[in-house]
């Protein structure tokens, strides 16, 4: 059983968030914490002048609220919102916070992804802990 589980959340219709939560609950040991993380991709520098600063802050707040709603469904649920690239952001946060299992939902891949979505593939290849992929 795991004691520090991370569930990356992408707010897309084809992600099985409920399945990831169910799996995380099954894999969690007594007193385990489950953290829901969302990585906010960086806006290219050439596009930042077209985005109002308060829009970015408002988006971060809305994401945190949605994650908090999910975290409330599990005992010891927590929330993390980080900036960066999705795969790298997930694996770096997991390493820095001693995560022992990542439960990640993968989308239905396109041909270029071959077997997994690109973020799930990055996490599987680079995570320093167990990774459970949900389809």
């Amino acid at each position: 059983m795991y004691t520090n589980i991370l569930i990356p959340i992408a707010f897309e219709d084809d992600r099985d968030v409920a399945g990831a939560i169910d799996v995380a609950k099954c894999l969690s040991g007594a007193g385990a914490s489950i953290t829901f993380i969302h990585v906010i991709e960086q806006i290219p520098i050439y596009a930042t002048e077209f985005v109002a600063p308060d829009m970015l802050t408002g988006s971060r707040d809305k994401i945190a609220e949605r994650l908090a709603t999910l975290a409330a469904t599990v005992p010891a649920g927590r929330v993390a919102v980080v900036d960066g690239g999705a795969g790298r952001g997930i694996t770096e946060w997991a390493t820095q916070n001693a995560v022992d299992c990542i439960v990640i939902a993968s989308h239905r891949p396109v041909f270029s992804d071959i077997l997994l979505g690109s973020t799930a593939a990055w996490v599987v290849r680079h995570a320093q802990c167990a990774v459970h992929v949900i389809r």
Side-chain angles (χ1 to χ4, degrees):
M1 296 298 213
Y2 298 102
T3 59
N4 191 2
I5 299 173
L6 183 65
I7 303 177
I9 301 296
F11 297 106
E12 299 168 1
D13 290 339
D14 64 344
R15 304 300 168 130
D16 186 6
V17 175
I21 292 170
D22 289 343
V23 167
K25 286 178 180 178
C26 289
L27 295 175
S28 62
S33 66
I34 298 175
T35 304
F36 295 87
I37 187 172
H38 180 79
V39 181
I40 298 175
E41 296 277 344
Q42 297 299 304
I43 297 174
I45 194 73
Y46 60 83
T48 57
E49 69 180 271
F50 303 107
V51 179
D54 60 330
M55 181 180 163
L56 297 177
T57 303
S59 295
R60 179 178 287 280
D61 293 343
K62 286 179 185 175
I63 288 167
E65 286 175 22
R66 290 179 72 183
L67 291 176
T69 300
L70 292 172
T73 66
V74 299
R78 302 183 311 172
V79 169
V81 180
V82 297
D83 296 311
R88 184 178 303 271
I90 293 164
T91 55
E92 286 179 358
W93 195 95
T95 300
Q96 294 167 358
N97 292 276
V99 167
D100 54 3
C101 182
I102 299 170
V103 178
I104 186 168
S106 180
H107 69 281
R108 297 285 180 213
V110 294
F111 183 73
S112 63
D113 293 333
I114 306 301
L115 298 175
L116 294 173
S118 57
T119 299
W122 173 276
V123 171
V124 167
R125 288 186 191 110
H126 294 42
Q128 296 178 5
C129 62
V131 178
H132 192 103
V133 180
I134 304 297
R135 279 275 173 126

